[in-house]
Amino acid sequence: MKTGNLYLVAAELMLSVIPSIGFAQFPEPASKSADERADGRVFDGYELQRFALTTGDAHLSRRCRPATYFDAVGNRSYICGTEDGPYEAWIWPLQVLVGGSLSFRPADRLDFFELHRYAHSIESAPDHTAIRYLQAEIAVNAIFVTPDDEPAILVLLAVDVDKPGTLAFSFAPRLAPQWPASVGGVAARWDSALCAVRLAEPSARLAAIVGSPYAVRGSQGIQYLLPGAPLRLEIDVDPNQCRKAFIPLVITAALVPLMGYPLL
């Protein structure tokens, strides 16, 4: 997927996230101990100002259709699903997650509601695919970017709300090579410093990160003892902040050899 400004945004985020991929391995990291990582939150003070997407002749848009396939494809990653349903994410040759979906809970409610039930319109351009969700409490434009030459998927969320609430991204971790290859299971752990869920597997050779600079809570897995429900990241949504800045979601993975450098 060829990108302009969106590629620069993805590259900036990757410079912060990819060096941490080696520390996503646990309980047996291949190189350094996680305790050797510098203290503090990686994304303290981070803000990505909202900007208008460039469009040209190669731009299509229409209303969403039930059970209709969509994707965003790069040469090292892709994300796909149905316009009104969940999606799966791949960092070649690994399937990182399935069942990805966004949900929202207004501050005065107890339960989340799934946003894919309110898919309104879709647009496709050379540098992105975007789905707009419209509901009485919230409007979200989810912009899926798969930058060429980066082992990453970037989802920029342009959120408009009148009242505070909590936005959540739920998914089932896979971290599995393309069939017929397999691994012996997947472990997950919430990393509050990285604002992300770290995924690993028994050989300590594959690792992945699913997170957001604004994530404040995540599902607490104990190595391979994962919750019976999908894992979830939660982001507190402030109406004034959302009008000014995107909320980015980042998905990245790597095959990490003994020296700790990504090979994917």
Side-chain angles (χ1 to χ4, degrees):
M1 178 172 281
K2 298 297 183 182
T3 54
N5 290 337
L6 291 176
Y7 180 85
L8 296 177
V9 168
E12 179 184 353
L13 279 167
M14 291 308 99
L15 287 174
S16 296
V17 174
I18 289 179
S20 302
I21 198 74
F23 297 108
Q25 303 163 319
F26 62 88
E28 298 173 343
S31 54
K32 298 179 181 179
S33 166
D35 294 336
E36 296 179 44
R37 184 176 52 185
D39 294 334
R41 292 170 65 91
V42 173
F43 293 103
D44 272 352
Y46 178 85
E47 184 175 274
L48 175 59
Q49 293 290 327
R50 282 171 69 161
F51 55 86
L53 299 177
T54 57
T55 58
D57 294 336
H59 176 265
L60 300 173
S61 62
R62 59 166 171 78
R63 292 291 293 270
C64 286
R65 298 170 182 169
T68 300
Y69 175 85
F70 88 94
D71 62 28
V73 181
N75 62 10
R76 299 186 70 181
S77 64
Y78 84 90
I79 188 166
C80 66
T82 55
E83 296 174 10
D84 65 338
Y87 27 86
E88 61 184 78
W90 288 74
I91 308 294
W92 296 114
L94 303 176
Q95 184 183 46
V96 179
L97 61 88
V98 297
S101 66
L102 295 165
S103 57
F104 182 70
R105 179 181 63 83
D108 57 354
R109 310 282 179 84
L110 293 177
D111 298 321
F112 286 84
F113 57 80
E114 298 285 350
L115 288 178
H116 62 72
R117 297 169 52 194
Y118 303 95
H120 177 267
S121 59
I122 183 170
E123 69 175 40
S124 181
D127 64 346
H128 71 276
T129 298
I131 297 179
R132 185 165 179 79
Y133 305 97
L134 291 179
Q135 200 268 350
E137 304 278 359
I138 187 173
V140 177
N141 195 32
I143 304 162
F144 301 91
V145 183
T146 51
D148 283 346
D149 304 319
E150 295 285 354
I153 297 166
L154 178 64
V155 186
L156 296 178
L157 303 176
V159 179
D160 292 294
V161 291
D162 294 325
K163 298 179 180 179
T166 301
L167 185 68
F169 177 64
S170 303
F171 64 95
R174 288 279 294 158
L175 197 59
Q178 189 171 358
W179 186 88
S182 64
V183 295
V186 60
R189 177 183 296 169
W190 165 249
D191 186 331
S192 59
L194 193 57
C195 306
V197 171
R198 302 189 286 133
L199 305 179
E201 46 76 44
S203 73
R205 295 294 302 279
L206 307 177
I209 291 173
V210 181
S212 169
Y214 300 119
V216 294
R217 292 175 296 276
S219 299
Q220 293 289 348
I222 304 176
Q223 295 185 7
Y224 299 95
L225 300 178
L226 302 183
L231 302 182
R232 186 165 70 189
L233 303 172
E234 293 187 356
I235 300 164
D236 291 337
V237 174
D238 176 77
N240 295 325
Q241 179 69 16
C242 287
R243 293 188 187 100
K244 299 185 298 180
F246 285 113
I247 296 175
L249 288 172
V250 179
I251 302 167
T252 186
L255 170 63
V256 185
L258 295 180
M259 294 303 295
Y261 295 101
L263 291 183
L264 288 185

